[in-house]
Amino acid sequence: MAIDGVRVVNGTFGYIYKEGKWLSQYNKANAKVEIQKAELKVAGDRWTRHKVLGLKGTGSLSGYKVTDELMQEVMVVTNSDKPSYRTELIYALKDPEAWGFERIRLMNVMFDSIDVANWEAGKEITEEWPFTFEGYELLDPIEE
């Protein structure tokens, strides 16, 4: 059966939520889990075998600078007597023509850097927030 082009999910209908609040200024998101493996050589076999040793979650969100709210939350890491900022994010895709909608919860999100200043005259200011995370949950899968 051929793919129905109407059912292809469109990123226009993507949403990012931080602790339940929609972050409407951000319009690009990604997250992936890197599977860390060791290579094993077995006697009498030419094939290299692999053993999973760990997982590493990385991602980012980016979009327009509207407030300094996220910077203020993340910058607590610069104060030696306070714990680093951890949060959770939910990435959602809600294309009305898709088979359904998808929500993915990213747990223990820790941001990697803070853009203190990044602008150019005559241009909208955008910002990118790379992060690591420790676990995810597929809350709502897209299924036919």
Side-chain angles (χ1 to χ4, degrees):
M1 180 159 124
I3 185 172
D4 181 356
V6 172
R7 299 297 180 191
V8 174
V9 182
N10 186 308
T12 299
F13 302 98
Y15 301 85
I16 302 167
Y17 299 90
K18 183 178 68 63
E19 298 176 9
K21 180 182 175 187
W22 176 31
L23 303 178
S24 62
Q25 70 270 32
Y26 298 110
N27 59 9
K28 183 176 180 185
N30 71 65
K32 68 179 178 177
V33 175
E34 177 185 328
I35 301 170
Q36 300 167 332
K37 301 180 278 188
E39 290 188 357
L40 307 171
K41 293 300 289 177
V42 180
D45 192 345
R46 291 181 176 158
W47 285 97
T48 299
R49 306 298 176 170
H50 297 89
K51 179 173 180 70
V52 173
L53 298 178
L55 304 170
K56 180 180 178 184
T58 60
S60 69
L61 56 94
S62 57
Y64 300 107
K65 182 177 183 80
V66 177
T67 70
D68 285 328
E69 181 181 345
L70 190 53
M71 181 170 52
Q72 289 172 316
E73 291 171 337
V74 175
M75 69 187 266
V76 300
V77 74
T78 64
N79 189 338
S80 298
D81 63 347
K82 295 195 177 179
S84 58
Y85 180 72
R86 289 179 182 247
T87 190
E88 80 171 34
L89 297 173
I90 294 180
Y91 284 179
L93 284 169
K94 299 179 181 179
D95 186 334
E97 294 184 325
W99 286 114
F101 64 93
E102 172 186 80
R103 287 187 316 134
I104 300 169
R105 176 180 168 228
L106 305 177
M107 297 175 268
N108 292 321
V109 173
M110 292 182 66
F111 293 94
D112 296 342
S113 61
I114 303 168
D115 260 352
V116 176
N118 182 13
W119 57 268
E120 182 178 340
K123 293 190 176 183
E124 293 85 11
I125 298 173
T126 59
E127 53 187 8
E128 181 175 11
W129 291 91
F131 58 80
T132 56
F133 62 95
E134 299 166 355
Y136 74 96
E137 180 181 7
L138 183 57
L139 299 173
D140 296 301
I142 296 174
E143 298 174 327
E144 185 176 350

